[in-house]
Amino acid sequence: MTDHKPSRRPAPDIQQLIGNTLRIGVTLACAIALVGGLLYLLQHGGEPAKDYSHFPCTASDAERTAYTTLGGIWHSLCAMTAVGWIQTGVIVLLLTPIMRVALSLVDFVRERDWLYAAISAVVLTVIILNSIEGF
């Protein structure tokens, strides 16, 4: 009889996963923002350049929430507006390092490295609380 050991899948390389998450996140954010930039050029490329020597606050509340709230960004994205796509790219870019911290936390817990797990948990908590406070 042959000695059969249960086949175990190798543990996933979390460092590789973290690196891929960063690469994919940044690439995806750039691609989404590029779509927004192309949409902007298609929609507004023929207009004369605006005077940016001063910035009057003339935007309505609806225009401001269209790109400053998650709901507004989602509606702008679905409406295929340039602002919606660019803001979505910014959100993806902001979520990329947050995912890195979350994956690092999982890795530290898995390795039972409690000091670095605690530090990662504090960092993740601070990021999440600051994000929620911004709403």
Side-chain angles (χ1 to χ4, degrees):
M1 256 206 281
T2 59
D3 186 27
H4 277 275
K5 290 183 179 179
S7 64
R8 299 180 99 189
R9 283 192 271 166
D13 183 11
I14 196 77
Q15 296 303 319
Q16 185 69 36
L17 179 63
I18 290 171
N20 288 341
T21 300
L22 293 174
R23 276 188 289 281
I24 291 168
V26 170
T27 303
L28 185 61
C30 289
I32 292 169
L34 178 65
V35 169
L38 292 174
L39 279 173
Y40 185 84
L41 287 175
L42 288 173
Q43 295 168 354
H44 304 285
E47 297 174 3
K50 294 180 182 178
D51 177 19
Y52 287 114
S53 59
H54 65 284
F55 295 94
C57 188
T58 58
S60 69
D61 284 340
E63 289 173 325
R64 272 184 258 138
T65 59
Y67 58 91
T68 58
T69 65
L70 291 177
I73 293 169
W74 175 252
H75 290 298
S76 297
L77 180 68
C78 292
M80 294 294 289
T81 66
V83 170
W85 280 87
I86 293 170
Q87 289 295 91
T88 301
V90 170
I91 289 172
V92 170
L93 188 62
L94 290 172
L95 288 175
T96 300
I98 296 170
M99 286 298 300
R100 185 213 188 287
V101 174
L103 289 171
S104 294
L105 175 61
V106 169
D107 184 40
F108 292 136
V109 167
R110 196 181 74 184
E111 292 178 3
R112 295 185 180 357
D113 189 343
W114 304 120
L115 175 64
Y116 284 106
I119 292 169
S120 296
V122 168
V123 169
L124 190 59
T125 302
V126 167
I127 291 170
I128 291 170
L129 290 177
N130 281 328
S131 297
I132 291 171
E133 184 181 317
F135 291 114

